[in-house]
Amino acid sequence: MRVAMESLRLSVVLLLCCSCVLAPAAAAVAPKKRTYIVHMEKSQMPAEFAAHRNWYDASLRSVSDVAEILYAYDTVVHGFSARLTPAEARAMEGLPGVLGVLPETRYELHTTRTPEFLGLERSEGLVPQSNTESDIVVGVLDTGVWPERKSYNDAGLGPIPASWKGACEEGKDFKPASACNRKLIGARSFSKGYEASMGPIDESKESKSPRDNDGHGTHTSSTAAGSAVPDANLLGYAAGTARGMATRARVAVYKVCWLGGCFSSDILAAMDKAVEDGCSVLSLSLGGGMSDYYRDSVAIGAFSAMEKGVVVSCSAGNAGPGESTLSNVAPWITTVGAGTLDRDFPAYIVLGNGKNYSGVSLYSGKPLSSSSLPFIYAGNATNATNGNLCMQGTLLPDKVAGKIVLCDRGINARVQKGFVVRDAGGTGMVLANTAANGEELVADAHLLPASAVGEKAGDAIKSYLLTDPSPTATIAFGGTKVGVMPSPVVAAFSSRGPNAITPDILKPDLIAPGVNILASWTGTAGPTGQSADSRRTEFSIISGTSMSCPHVSGLAALLKGAYPDWSPGAIKSALMTTAYANYAAGGGILDVATGSAATPFDFGAGHVDPPKAMDPGLIYDVDVNDYLDFLCALNYTTLQIASVSRRPNYVCDRKKTFAVSDFNYPSFAVAFPTASGAGGGSSATTTVKHTRTLTNVGSPGTYKASVSAPSEVKVTVDPTELSFAAAGEKKSYTVSFSAASQPSGSSTFGRLEWSDGKHVVASPLAFTWT
Ligand SMILES: *[C@@H]1O[C@H](CO)[C@@H](O)[C@H](O)[C@H]1NC(C)=O
Ligand SMILES: *[C@@H]1O[C@H](CO)[C@@H](O)[C@H](O)[C@H]1NC(C)=O
Ligand SMILES: *[C@@H]1O[C@H](CO)[C@@H](O)[C@H](O)[C@H]1NC(C)=O
Ligand SMILES: *[C@@H]1O[C@H](CO)[C@@H](O)[C@H](O)[C@H]1NC(C)=O
């Protein structure tokens, strides 16, 4: 969760809104134009046109004399984007061959220890040492790349795969000869949509090229497939060998995010190119609002990518811990939430009364003296109503000079609060969580001695501050601690289910490390991402589902390398059915937000377990026909199906019955009606049946089903035993879920496992009453 970045972006949004308020007077004459993505049905091009581009031009010309095509799309979608007035867009919708006209959407960007934590070190022998891993190209759609980082060292890598059709584009501060090599094999940037909406890119602030001036894209791409870098650390913290998940896979970056956000016309153009270039995996650590699949550009682009065998892995979002806060929920996308590592950066706050509280920090400057310093609550050192938040200019220097200041978390960036304390003459900071963040601790490379504490410790320290007549404290830094238990725990910020678009598909799919992750960084921003931070570091430690997504993207590349003929659905299934929901020592994975056990709405199938994913035994495979059946089950119209799948006039077979419950997903979400919802009946039992098909990808064997179900739901599996005589063999089964009505909004969970004694093929069960 890049609060720092989010708050920077927030100010951009505010600026935009100011111009919205000012604009109407000038815009009253000419209606305001915006970018629209026009999806066209390629096969409906009239014969008189020589090329699709001419047809698109003519279609555009028929609604506007002046509009220009920003992008023509040809791989994951067909059509183009252009600036149109709302009336022109409506006229466009009525033209022959137009499948849909979608307004531009703005998206936002949502590891030394990770490989060991994930068991990748111990799996070196388990992961087939296929040379095919180096044929896999991971395409990362993000803020670009800082190619000089050692994570992009290509030592030991063979020639660029012959099938690669991509390019390393020259641009500002980006010279292909020095930037690209056998590791970083592709780099492109996409800004036409951004500039059409936001005006020209300010080249004094960011390079109009694949160069990453932010850090986010360098961090995510090196996490997915960076080479191993010995002696990596951030200011001495998290020291060790940093490596991506798929160290021998290739990286191609597609810069689609700029200072003011990421725009769907650019993202779609990048997906179009990335698939055409020959990427096998696409990693998107960004998200926008929730909409139906036929109106969601990333979902539409991902459908075609999936059809071409490309795995699309996306961040679940950082809008947790509230319910139904997910983005990127299409079933053909792998939706990744975030958990913690077993690594921590403790910084102890010792109070004048002798009490000792543990917080976290990546502060690396001169430590505070061990003798106590005067300590004050920011709320007592301000005249401003929100002064407890340490907002710019709110602290009274005569109150805080020479003191440690306790600031409450919220509104402005965590690190910025430290600048405010320092600028007012404070010598240290304690950053206290409020209920909004609970016990979730995100370590920051503060510029003054500072430690972040959870809500409970924060409240205890505040009560000391408010009752002791002359409070004092000191902060002692504990460096890097590994082996923290329990871990992982679900990050509070990680977006949660249920899935608001299709409640019958459980999302997120799984979780991966996303808290305090070390990876490569840009050379044009400090590790905190704040402009006041003039430090430059090769690595940075940041948090978010933006960080967990590329872990899964890299693991998908490993799987694709080991099993080149597996479909994206098979790869997702292997990752999900081998994920764990319990700690090795017992007990379910915890949720930082509540301190109690998390549920499949928080972690999906569980936490990714790479060595096990390499040998899943059985998989739930799906192909494009299954997804079309899924769209039929959603009762999509022909036009809506065409928008998602690029199939004109696709008609759902009337002789078949389609049900989402028959879609071969590796998890189960069952929505039972409540008594009133079922027409006011009593507590009659409802039974819902799901059908699934397993494919054997291991040796012959017999698998037995076992279910752990909540008392409210009776679960029966038929048959309870499946025997596979050969690899590739498929066997189907049905699960019946029966339950009486429960109060609306209640939910409960279980797990279904198939095991041959060697493999466990597990699926989470989520039940809701609505
Ligand atoms: C505070 O607690 C930590 C561990 O809980 C310990 O390492 C440290 O020495 C303690 N500091 C003081 C001054 O008691
Ligand atoms: C600090 O503020 C609280 C109210 O927020 C007040 O009760 C307390 O007396 C103040 N303490 C000092 C030392 O000013
Ligand atoms: C803050 O409030 C106090 C008491 O009302 C007043 O004396 C002081 O001048 C104020 N300081 C600032 C910087 O506004
Ligand atoms: C689709 O329509 C059928 C028949 O009207 C209905 O039973 C089903 O619930 C609908 N499905 C969805 C996902 O709305």
Side-chain angles (χ1 to χ4, degrees):
M1 174 178 54
R2 305 232 24 238
V3 163
M5 167 175 285
E6 282 163 11
S7 58
L8 272 180
R9 301 226 149 100
L10 187 66
S11 58
V12 175
V13 178
L14 293 176
L15 285 175
L16 274 177
C17 292
C18 294
S19 61
C20 302
V21 174
L22 295 176
V29 230
K32 221 168 154 57
K33 291 191 178 217
R34 62 184 293 187
T35 305
Y36 289 88
I37 300 169
V38 182
H39 293 275
M40 303 284 283
E41 177 37 57
K42 206 174 174 177
S43 66
Q44 287 181 18
M45 180 175 80
E48 71 253 35
F49 294 106
H52 285 92
R53 179 65 194 241
N54 306 113
W55 179 40
Y56 300 161
D57 275 323
S59 304
L60 184 58
R61 214 38 77 232
S62 71
V63 303
S64 164
D65 295 334
V66 292
E68 297 285 340
I69 286 181
L70 289 170
Y71 292 107
Y73 305 107
D74 198 40
T75 304
V76 295
V77 292
H78 295 132
F80 59 91
S81 46
R83 303 282 290 171
L84 300 170
T85 64
E88 288 165 351
R90 278 194 301 278
M92 198 84 226
E93 269 175 345
L95 293 183
V98 173
L99 293 173
V101 180
L102 301 190
E104 178 91 290
T105 324
R106 185 169 163 279
Y107 286 70
E108 285 184 43
L109 291 166
H110 277 281
T111 46
T112 49
R113 182 93 191 125
T114 343
E116 293 131 64
F117 183 72
L118 291 173
L120 275 179
E121 307 294 312
R122 102 187 116 82
S123 76
E124 290 290 69
L126 284 175
V127 180
Q129 287 291 296
S130 56
N131 284 321
T132 43
E133 182 189 332
S134 65
D135 291 340
I136 305 302
V137 186
V138 182
V140 182
L141 280 70
D142 210 296
T143 62
V145 66
W146 194 268
E148 292 78 13
R149 293 300 180 225
K150 297 189 189 85
S151 295
Y152 308 101
N153 183 332
D154 66 355
L157 284 173
I160 290 170
S163 57
W164 179 243
K165 296 203 282 283
C168 186
E169 292 174 354
E170 175 149 10
K172 176 134 186 286
D173 301 325
F174 206 87
K175 296 275 172 288
S178 54
C180 287
N181 58 16
R182 291 175 172 193
K183 167 54 77 176
L184 180 64
I185 66 171
R188 299 181 187 271
S189 72
F190 299 82
S191 58
K192 286 181 189 167
Y194 180 84
E195 292 191 294
S197 292
M198 305 284 283
I201 282 164
D202 179 351
E203 297 232 35
S204 71
K205 295 208 175 75
E206 53 182 341
S207 305
K208 200 170 155 181
S209 77
R211 168 77 52 190
D212 178 12
N213 304 109
D214 178 285
H216 193 272
T218 303
H219 204 277
T220 54
S221 59
S222 58
T223 298
S227 299
V229 184
D231 303 321
N233 66 81
L234 168 65
L235 305 167
Y237 285 98
T241 296
R243 47 161 282 183
M245 296 295 99
T247 48
R248 285 175 302 145
R250 322 290 178 138
V251 176
V253 302
Y254 298 84
K255 181 172 173 180
V256 294
C257 294
W258 306 87
L259 273 176
C262 332
F263 284 75
S264 50
S265 62
D266 293 326
I267 295 169
L268 208 47
M271 292 180 91
D272 211 48
K273 266 288 178 237
V275 170
E276 190 189 336
D277 287 350
C279 292
S280 297
V281 177
L282 296 187
S283 190
L284 287 83
S285 289
L286 46 83
M290 286 283 275
S291 46
D292 279 305
Y293 310 124
Y294 59 88
R295 302 194 61 83
D296 175 341
S297 293
V298 168
I300 292 170
F303 190 97
S304 304
M306 166 278 294
E307 201 176 345
K308 294 182 163 68
V310 177
V311 178
V312 181
S313 149
C314 293
S315 47
N318 298 343
E323 276 185 17
S324 285
T325 42
L326 296 161
S327 40
N328 302 317
V329 296
W332 47 90
I333 287 173
T334 304
T335 312
V336 189
T340 61
L341 285 177
D342 64 341
R343 179 178 63 194
D344 210 350
F345 309 101
Y348 306 104
I349 297 146
V350 183
L351 304 182
N353 64 8
K355 291 244 167 71
N356 180 349
Y357 295 93
S358 188
V360 299
S361 185
L362 296 170
Y363 172 71
S364 67
K366 199 165 154 282
L368 286 174
S369 76
S370 57
S371 60
S372 288
L373 291 164
F375 189 20
I376 188 167
Y377 180 39
N380 286 92
T382 183
N383 283 352
T385 42
N386 268 347
N388 59 318
L389 298 173
C390 297
M391 311 277 283
Q392 196 79 49
T394 59
L395 291 179
L396 301 171
D398 56 332
K399 290 272 175 80
V400 304
K403 292 180 187 163
I404 297 176
V405 181
L406 183 141
C407 305
D408 285 318
R409 188 166 160 187
I411 312 286
N412 59 339
R414 299 183 300 272
V415 174
Q416 205 188 26
K417 294 173 192 284
F419 299 154
V420 172
V421 170
R422 191 187 58 174
D423 292 348
T427 53
M429 174 176 71
V430 173
L431 183 60
N433 278 358
T434 59
N437 301 100
E439 298 307 308
E440 174 143 283
L441 297 182
V442 180
D444 294 297
H446 294 283
L447 284 154
L448 88 171
S451 178
V453 296
E455 184 191 9
K456 285 190 198 124
D459 287 349
I461 297 171
K462 270 182 260 182
S463 111
Y464 163 74
L465 277 171
L466 297 180
T467 53
D468 195 288
S470 52
T472 61
T474 189
I475 305 172
F477 297 92
T480 305
K481 193 172 127 197
V482 295
V484 174
M485 299 287 222
S487 58
V489 292
V490 178
F493 61 72
S494 190
S495 287
R496 315 301 174 96
N499 177 345
I501 302 290
T502 317
D504 308 313
I505 298 289
L506 181 68
K507 290 279 178 172
D509 290 312
L510 75 178
I511 59 167
V515 178
N516 296 335
I517 304 301
L518 180 99
S520 283
W521 198 239
T522 178
T524 48
T528 61
Q530 297 283 307
S531 53
D533 184 356
S534 60
R535 298 170 298 180
R536 295 295 176 261
T537 55
E538 272 199 51
F539 294 89
S540 187
I541 294 176
I542 55 175
S543 301
T545 54
S546 279
M547 282 63 248
S548 56
C549 160
H551 279 94
V552 166
S553 311
L555 295 171
L558 280 182
L559 280 164
K560 187 83 184 165
Y563 307 105
D565 56 347
W566 280 15
S567 70
I571 289 172
K572 170 155 72 177
S573 176
L575 290 165
M576 285 174 67
T577 62
T578 56
Y580 60 95
N582 288 307
Y583 297 114
I589 289 179
L590 297 178
D591 180 357
V592 185
T594 59
S596 18
T599 76
F601 286 147
D602 309 318
F603 56 56
H607 192 278
V608 70
D609 189 346
K612 291 225 168 78
M614 292 298 156
D615 180 23
L618 306 173
I619 52 171
Y620 294 90
D621 204 0
V622 274
D623 64 17
V624 70
N625 294 313
D626 299 307
Y627 287 112
L628 289 165
D629 286 355
F630 168 81
L631 297 177
C632 292
L634 294 184
N635 298 328
Y636 271 22
T637 65
T638 299
L639 195 61
Q640 288 165 347
I641 292 179
S643 298
V644 175
S645 71
R646 300 174 309 146
R647 279 168 177 73
N649 313 318
Y650 184 86
V651 181
C652 300
D653 185 348
R654 292 229 183 91
K655 294 192 286 296
K656 266 171 86 174
T657 48
F658 299 97
V660 176
S661 53
D662 291 337
F663 181 59
N664 205 31
Y665 214 67
S667 57
F668 296 82
V670 182
F672 288 113
T674 55
S676 56
S682 60
S683 58
T685 298
T686 306
T687 299
V688 177
K689 281 183 199 262
H690 282 236
T691 304
R692 294 291 189 273
T693 301
L694 284 160
T695 306
N696 183 26
V697 293
S699 38
T702 299
Y703 285 79
K704 289 195 171 71
S706 65
V707 175
S708 67
S711 57
E712 298 89 337
V713 186
K714 184 164 173 279
V715 181
T716 35
V717 183
D718 180 34
T720 54
E721 211 172 279
L722 296 172
S723 284
F724 296 89
E729 199 178 336
K730 289 180 188 288
K731 290 278 166 83
S732 296
Y733 68 93
T734 302
V735 205
S736 305
F737 304 104
S738 302
S741 179
Q742 299 286 328
S744 181
S746 27
S747 53
T748 172
F749 308 91
R751 204 163 168 90
L752 163 64
E753 294 184 348
W754 288 94
S755 180
D756 64 350
K758 183 163 162 263
H759 305 93
V760 177
V761 185
S763 295
L765 314 174
F767 308 100
T768 49
W769 283 265
T770 47

